[in-house]
């Protein structure tokens, strides 16, 4: 086969940019097993030196203590006791206590006290209500996992009284984690990952017990079996009374939350994990900062079932971070830092070694957020951080999974004022739209005759968090009391939310039925679908359109579909809306029409796949079309089978290939016997394996590269940024391989900077400069590392994980699952690379007009209404 010039050019550029990466292909994709013990502190196997840690301007980092692994294990949690001392916990062992050393002094090992407390495997702890509360997550099952209270029977420092307040069934890394005081000072939040089975809760829980899987199409569990049998609602936040007797379910739908923090407004935040096996699929969700409000659901489901942000039956994060392994969280209150950093929320990433300062700004009933890389290191497996209220310093630990642990201190050395923040006045704290949300949340967890009357007007509110609070308040009331009101509501904005609430409350989720469960009420189903069919969905605002279609999905799912006459009515209603102008609307419409077996969907869906700029879009449409039996012609079936040959060259996480296999297997099951015979040769055809760059560059075959200069293209932007093509700009963003590494909106890779807000940071000239000269200024968050071994061998890539002595390095940004294990004891040095992983000359296969469309698309933030585009 003859290789296209584009493929040859890009293959050589990738090889240059990654240097030796091509020579370090891993022998196995399986991760090393967790070691039985921490290795000896020799060679590289010691706490990361401060020379490898970068911190924000005018801040100083001190390495206070390299934890001796053989005797004190690997530290994962910190907290201050009631006397200002710091406690640390070993992930597989006990507790340690010490007084922070004086400024500039290391921690004397003699001053680290091993507590004789009969407790182990503490994954979260806090001093509150005169005792130490701990969340135990014991991997080795030597004691029950759950919530414990530890106190002194003698009123001294012995901490000898250990009480198990609630045993919980939790296994692995996704178990029982942090304990955080509630803002009202009356209870505790208990943070649990999705590996913790639900425990008994009281009737006053803020989350209404109406959740379900709610997959309209057949479930696709993880291809490697991970969490295959764990159903919704996933990870949870409980509100627990100090005596541990009352557990209320406060929020759900998380994957693996490890910690949480409360701000001065009394609002709770957490940092949720991603699922790296899902990289580059439509359902991949990056690590995220969530504003955890009363009754929240954040949409985790196993495998391909994770709900996208735009589904109305879950809440969105306030900030997507990127790939990683979230651990500790804390606000900067009490730190002797400038005001900006006192107000910041700090989130720790274990695998990528980054400590983010998250800056929050009130935005309606929630917050907007931006991230700043406050501190990073190579490697730096961050586990927890606290602010010591006595000296105003930040203390953080590295460790976990029995890797070498260490204790560090961060202080401010600049000239800005570090005066404590003034307290928030009651008037300020209680003002604004957030107070309306709190008023609605007062109805959560209780039946109140005033709830429906009070909350109903806010079902159509412009603020999504207000709508959520209102609908949740109504869902806590007996649905018979408001069923008729929902069906007869005349305001579409209110009715779509009310009907979603009714479907959730009245419908029994099919996945949770038993032999004794009351069957779905088909008369109510007919009334709900009838009300939805009366809506002029096409004329609704975008968010209401999405809610209406998602509500149709929930009704069909929970009420066992519909009769054929109603099915035809739904097809007639929805088919003219497809395809829509947005991916989110097309996502919902494609899966709904596939369920309904629309006869026009095959042609429309395959055209969308052919025109899609990203593999995520293509996979999503293919996932829906896999169940479609109607409307196929020979030509369209051929296109479907040829797409599977193309998709075999897509790249993604560890489960990616299995998901593609699942989609193909399900699609083939819809072929008639005649089709199987007719297309037997194409079905049996093996895909032609190509490199990632060859696959991406197919559209440029036969073109001659142009060596564009910055000056030439920058000059063209001066007059060429009007009447641009949005669709072509998006297409070029995919064709130039930008989606491979960069997130844009809710699509794309995560190994480069998120470009969604690039228009607020770059001019057209600056954006082009970054593309043409990628190594001129490398984004600090994505600088690859050069790992030099004692024998002189160099490996270049991004450090993404650690296991004992092994450092895991991703050597190819287009293949996040390609990781190489390097023994730290054999490493001579780890230094930041001066060469960007982004290859130069990415624009050389594009015409000038195509580049102008691409620049306009990026600078617009994906807004097709921007003035740069044709009307």
């Amino acid at each position: 086969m003859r290789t296209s010039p584009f493929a040859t050019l890009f293959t050589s550029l990738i090889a240059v940019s990654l240097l030796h990466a091509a020579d370090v292909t891993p022998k196995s994709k399986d991760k090393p097993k967790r070691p039985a013990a921490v290795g000896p502190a020799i060679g590289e196997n010691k706490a990361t030196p401060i020379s490898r840690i970068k911190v924000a301007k005018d801040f100083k980092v001190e390495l206070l203590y390299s934890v001796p692994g053989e005797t004190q294990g690997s530290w994962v949690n910190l907290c201050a006791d009631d006397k200002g001392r710091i406690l640390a916990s070993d992930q597989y062992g006990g507790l340690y206590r010490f007084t922070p050393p004086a400024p500039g002094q290391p921690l004397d090992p003699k001053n680290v006290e091993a507590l004789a407390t009969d407790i182990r495997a503490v994954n979260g702890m806090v001093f509150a209500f005169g005792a130490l509360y701990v969340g135990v997550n014991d991997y080795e099952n030597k004691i029950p996992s759950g919530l414990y209270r530890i106190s002194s029977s003698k009123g001294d420092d012995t901490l000898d009284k250990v009480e198990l307040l609630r045993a919980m069934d939790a296994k692995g890394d996704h178990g029982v984690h942090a304990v955080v005081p509630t803002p009202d000072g009356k209870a505790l939040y208990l943070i649990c990952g999705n590996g913790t089975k639900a425990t008994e809760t009281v009737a006053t829980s803020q989350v209404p017990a109406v959740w379900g899987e709610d997959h309209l199409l057949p479930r696709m569990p993880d291809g490697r079996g991970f969490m295959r049998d764990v159903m919704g609602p996933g990870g949870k936040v409980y509100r627990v009374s100090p005596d541990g007797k009352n557990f209320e379910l406060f929020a759900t739908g998380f994957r693996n939350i490890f910690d949480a923090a409360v701000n001065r407004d009394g609002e709770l935040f957490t940092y949720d994990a991603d699922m790296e096996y899902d990289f580059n699929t439509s359902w991949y969700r990056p690590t995220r900062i969530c504003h955890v409000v009363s009754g929240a659901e954040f949409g985790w489901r196993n495998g391909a079932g994770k709900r996208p942000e735009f589904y109305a039956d879950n809440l969105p994060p306030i900030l997507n971070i990127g790939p990683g392994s979230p651990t500790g969280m804390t606000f900067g209150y009490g730190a002797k830092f400038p005001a900006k950093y006192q107000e910041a929320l700090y989130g720790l990433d274990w695998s990528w070694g980054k400590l983010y300062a998250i800056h929050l700004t009130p935005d309606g009933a929630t917050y907007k957020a931006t991230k700043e890389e406050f501190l990073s290191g190579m490697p730096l497996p961050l586990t927890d951080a606290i602010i010591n209220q006595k000296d105003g310093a930040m203390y953080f630990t590295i460790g976990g999974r029995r890797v070498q642990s260490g204790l560090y201190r961060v202080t401010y050395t600049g000239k800005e004022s570090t005066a404590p923040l003034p307290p928030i006045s009651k008037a300020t704290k209680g003002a604004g739209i957030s107070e309306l949300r709190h008023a609605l949340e007062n109805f959560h967890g209780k039946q109140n005759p005033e709830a429906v009357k009070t909350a109903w007007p806010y079902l159509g509110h412009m603020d999504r968090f207000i709508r959520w609070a209102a609908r949740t308040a109504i869902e806590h009331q007996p649905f018979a009391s408001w069923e008729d009101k929902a069906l007869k509501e005349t305001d579409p904005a209110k009715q779509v939310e009310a009907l979603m609430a009714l479907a959730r409350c009245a419908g029994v989720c099919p996945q949770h039925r038993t032999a004794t469960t009351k069957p779905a009420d088909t008369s109510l189903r007919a009334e709900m679908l009838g009300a939805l069919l009366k809506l002029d969905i096409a004329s609704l605002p975008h968010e209401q359109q999405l809610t209406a279609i998602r509500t149709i999905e929930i009704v069909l799912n929970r009420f066992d579909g519909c009769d054929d006459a109603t099915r035809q009515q739904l097809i007639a209603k929805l088919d003219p809306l497809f395809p829509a102008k947005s991916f989110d609307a097309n996502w919902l419409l494609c899966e709904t029409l596939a369920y309904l077996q629309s006869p026009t969907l095959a042609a429309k869906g395959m055209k969308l796949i052919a025109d899609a700029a990203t593999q995520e879009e293509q996979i999503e449409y293919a996932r829906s079309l896999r169940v479609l039996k109607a409307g196929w012609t020979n030509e369209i079936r051929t296109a479907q089978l040829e797409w599977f040959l193309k998709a075999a060259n897509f790249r993604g996480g560890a489960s990616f290939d299995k998901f593609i296999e699942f989609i193909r297997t399900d699609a083939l099951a819809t072929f008639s016997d005649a089709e199987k015979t007719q297309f037997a040769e194409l079905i049996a055809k093996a895909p032609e394996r190509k490199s990632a760059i060859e696959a991406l560059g197919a559209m440029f075959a036969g073109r001659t590269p142009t060596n564009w200069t910055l000056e030439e293209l920058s000059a063209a932007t001066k007059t060429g940024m009007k009447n641009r093509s949005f669709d072509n700009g998006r297409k070029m963003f995919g064709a130039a391989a930008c989606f491979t590494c960069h997130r844009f909106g809710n699509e794309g890779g995560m190994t480069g900077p998120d470009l969604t807000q690039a228009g607020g940071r770059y001019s057209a000239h600056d954006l082009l400069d970054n593309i043409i000269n990628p190594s001129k200024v490398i984004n600090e968050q994505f600088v690859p590392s050069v790992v030099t071994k004692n024998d002189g061998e160099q490996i270049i890539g991004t450090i993404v994980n650690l296991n004992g002595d092994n450092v895991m390095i991703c050597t190819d940004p287009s293949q996040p699952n390609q990781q190489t294990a390097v023994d730290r004891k054999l490493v001579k040095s780890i230094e930041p690379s001066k060469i960007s992983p982004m290859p130069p000359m990415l624009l050389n296969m594009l015409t000038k007009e195509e580049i102008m469309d691409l620049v306009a698309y990026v600078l617009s933030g994906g807004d097709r209404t921007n003035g740069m585009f044709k009307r």
Side-chain angles (χ1 to χ4, degrees), residues 223-263:
R224 292 163 62 97
F226 190 77
M227 292 284 174
R228 174 181 287 264
D229 298 322
V230 178
M231 300 299 168
K236 307 165 192 69
V237 175
Y238 293 100
R239 180 184 166 98
V240 186
S241 61
D243 60 8
K245 293 181 179 179
N246 291 330
F247 271 60
E248 295 176 338
L249 189 55
F250 183 77
T252 62
F254 303 100
R255 182 173 181 267
N256 189 26
I257 44 177
F258 188 78
D259 202 355
V262 175
N263 75 353

Side-chain angles (χ1 to χ4, degrees), residues 79-377:
C79 84
D81 68 10
D82 53 353
K83 296 182 179 179
R85 296 165 300 186
I86 295 178
L87 281 84
S89 65
D90 170 21
Q91 188 175 22
Y92 295 89
L95 298 176
Y96 300 87
R97 184 168 61 192
F98 56 88
T99 298
Q105 298 297 314
L107 178 61
D108 189 334
K110 297 177 183 178
N111 294 331
V112 179
E113 176 189 3
L115 300 185
T117 309
D118 187 17
I119 198 73
R120 56 173 278 111
V122 170
N123 271 225
M125 55 184 172
V126 68
F127 256 92
F129 308 108
L132 178 67
Y133 287 82
V134 301
V136 166
N137 191 56
D138 193 356
Y139 299 79
E140 298 169 338
N141 297 317
K142 294 182 178 180
I143 66 172
S145 294
L147 178 65
Y148 289 76
R149 179 171 59 192
I150 305 173
S151 58
S152 172
S153 62
K154 301 176 182 179
D156 55 18
D157 285 343
T158 56
L159 290 179
D160 58 335
K161 184 179 180 181
V162 178
E163 302 170 84
L164 174 59
L165 300 182
R166 177 72 65 96
M168 303 179 78
D169 188 345
K171 297 179 181 179
D173 291 330
H174 295 220
V176 180
H177 293 145
V179 188
V180 179
T182 59
D184 61 8
K186 297 179 180 179
L188 300 163
Y189 291 124
L190 182 63
I191 309 301
C192 298
N194 58 3
T196 310
K197 291 187 178 180
T199 190
E200 182 180 352
T201 55
V202 296
T204 53
S205 289
Q206 289 78 16
V207 176
V210 297
W211 59 79
E213 293 294 296
D214 289 325
H215 304 312
L216 183 60
L217 301 183
R219 187 168 77 94
M220 283 175 53
D222 180 74
R224 292 163 62 97
F226 190 77
M227 292 284 174
R228 174 181 287 264
D229 298 322
V230 178
M231 300 299 168
K236 307 165 192 69
V237 175
Y238 293 100
R239 180 184 166 98
V240 186
S241 61
D243 60 8
K245 293 181 179 179
N246 291 330
F247 271 60
E248 295 176 338
L249 189 55
F250 183 77
T252 62
F254 303 100
R255 182 173 181 267
N256 189 26
I257 44 177
F258 188 78
D259 202 355
V262 175
N263 75 353
R264 296 200 300 157
D265 297 330
E267 304 288 348
L268 181 67
F269 298 85
T270 193
Y271 184 9
D272 201 7
D274 64 352
M275 177 54 176
E276 64 274 15
Y277 289 3
D278 294 343
F279 276 148
N280 294 347
T281 64
S282 52
W283 53 88
Y284 171 72
R285 306 194 312 182
T287 65
R288 52 208 332 235
I289 301 294
C290 298
H291 176 201
V292 186
V293 296
S294 172
E297 155 73 76
F298 284 94
W300 178 86
R301 297 296 185 267
N302 70 37
K306 286 170 279 293
R307 295 177 186 169
E309 295 179 14
F310 59 82
Y311 271 20
D313 49 332
N314 76 160
L315 285 172
I318 59 170
L319 179 67
N320 284 320
I321 295 287
S325 298
T327 49
M329 296 187 82
T330 188
F331 275 94
Y333 308 139
K336 291 183 179 178
F337 292 175
K340 171 184 176 181
Y341 294 102
Q342 291 183 53
E343 289 274 22
L345 169 63
Y346 295 93
L348 283 64
D349 183 342
W350 184 85
S351 60
W352 291 68
K354 299 181 187 297
L355 196 162
Y356 296 105
I358 311 299
H359 303 293
L360 303 172
T361 305
D363 182 32
T366 183
Y367 296 81
K368 292 186 295 187
T370 59
K371 68 178 181 181
E372 172 190 356
E373 188 175 300
F374 180 72
L375 183 149
S376 62

Side-chain angles (χ1 to χ4, degrees), residues 850-871:
E850 289 171 338
I851 294 171
M852 295 300 104
D853 288 341
L854 168 61
V855 171
Y857 174 71
V858 174
L859 295 182
S860 76
D863 177 9
R864 65 170 61 246
T865 66
N866 189 283
M868 291 183 285
F869 301 116
K870 296 176 185 176
R871 295 296 181 185

